[in-house]
Amino acid sequence: NAGVTQTPKFQVLKTGQSMTLQCAQDMNHEYMSWYRQDPGMGLRLIHYSVGAGITDQGEVPNGYNVSRSTTEDFPLRLLSAAPSQTSVYFCASSRFGRVADTQYFGPGTRLTVL
Amino acid sequence: DAKTTQPTSMDCAEGRAANLPCNHSTISGNEYVYWYRQIHSQGPQYIIHGLKNNETNEMASLIITEDRKSSTLILPHATLRDTAVYYCIPSGGTSYGKLTFGQGTILTVHP
């Protein structure tokens, strides 16, 4: 199993540009989520999904859109990038998202918005 | 969600046990205590979790006090590769797998 994969690893955008961060998992996990981590800070939840076709907002959803058309993929879209979205983005997945389920994290995408 | 208090940083000699404390005095009865770690520039990695009883796996041991207001993560024989930020995270109830990461403890293992 590849686990949780994220692309790209690095990205530089100009203010106002749009892009999609890709996340995929091959563990047949129902639950997937996106976090962002700013320098010196802990991770903060952006959006999450408990299964295909179902998404919900986390702690910091503004400026981001998600969709979940398949179990494997959970892309994160930035419609109009802002410098405040400069961060490291982590995708995670778990079997069902239940209390005792272990979450597996991807390697991260480092995004800089100029 | 329960609030947590962890030391900002700790040091440990290689080969010795590392004991990382966490205070979670407001934890609710249905919240588990999770420990994750994040090695520099990598995604967080699951270590261990528990509800009431002490737990042990191949990576670490978790000691939870009887009143569940605090816990200690024990790395029995720390190595240089254990240098990381360690997060104590109560999670459960209605939080549906959502993890709230605080500042964590920066553990530095010295040769």
Side-chain angles (χ1 to χ4, degrees):
Chain A
N1 286 351
V4 180
T5 57
Q6 293 183 237
T7 56
K9 286 187 169 57
F10 300 93
Q11 183 70 50
V12 178
L13 291 178
K14 294 181 179 178
T15 297
Q17 287 185 316
S18 64
M19 80 159 295
T20 299
L21 280 63
Q22 302 291 345
C23 174
Q25 50 87 15
D26 62 357
M27 297 174 282
N28 200 31
H29 285 173
E30 293 292 329
Y31 182 88
M32 297 184 74
S33 57
W34 277 101
Y35 290 84
R36 63 176 286 176
Q37 184 174 34
D38 299 327
M41 305 285 290
L43 282 72
R44 292 183 293 169
L45 182 66
I46 304 172
H47 285 285
Y48 66 97
S49 168
V50 300
I54 306 170
T55 64
D56 205 346
Q57 296 181 350
E59 179 186 354
V60 289
N62 292 343
Y64 306 95
N65 281 349
V66 293
S67 59
R68 185 94 179 271
S69 56
T70 68
T71 299
E72 294 78 19
D73 301 297
F74 190 42
L76 178 72
R77 296 184 186 86
L78 284 71
L79 298 179
S80 179
S84 60
Q85 294 179 304
T86 293
S87 191
V88 181
Y89 292 83
F90 292 101
C91 179
S93 74
S94 67
R95 185 68 183 96
F96 292 116
R98 294 172 304 193
V99 167
D101 286 344
T102 299
Q103 295 207 31
Y104 298 86
F105 286 80
T109 293
R110 284 147 187 81
L111 175 67
T112 300
V113 183
L114 302 176
Chain B
D1 292 341
K3 302 297 183 187
T4 59
T5 302
Q6 296 180 253
T8 302
S9 63
M10 296 182 66
D11 291 327
C12 179
E14 190 176 20
R16 303 297 294 269
N19 297 276
L20 290 86
C22 179
N23 180 289
H24 35 77
S25 58
T26 60
I27 194 169
S28 61
N30 59 358
E31 285 187 306
Y32 284 73
V33 179
Y34 284 83
W35 284 82
Y36 281 76
R37 73 180 183 184
Q38 187 174 24
I39 297 171
H40 182 62
S41 299
Q42 298 181 19
Q45 177 190 24
Y46 166 82
I47 302 172
I48 198 167
H49 74 280
L51 184 62
K52 294 180 181 178
N53 300 320
N54 299 336
E55 302 288 345
T56 295
N57 63 20
E58 64 278 5
M59 289 182 68
S61 294
L62 175 61
I63 307 298
I64 303 174
T65 58
E66 191 169 346
D67 62 9
R68 298 202 341 114
K69 292 184 177 182
S70 64
S71 61
T72 300
L73 177 74
I74 301 171
L75 307 178
H77 305 286
T79 70
L80 299 180
R81 288 174 294 181
D82 292 321
T83 293
V85 181
Y86 287 77
Y87 298 98
C88 163
I89 306 172
S91 180
T94 59
S95 60
Y96 209 140
K98 290 178 276 187
L99 299 174
T100 301
F101 288 80
Q103 294 287 81
T105 295
I106 302 170
L107 175 69
T108 303
V109 181
H110 297 285

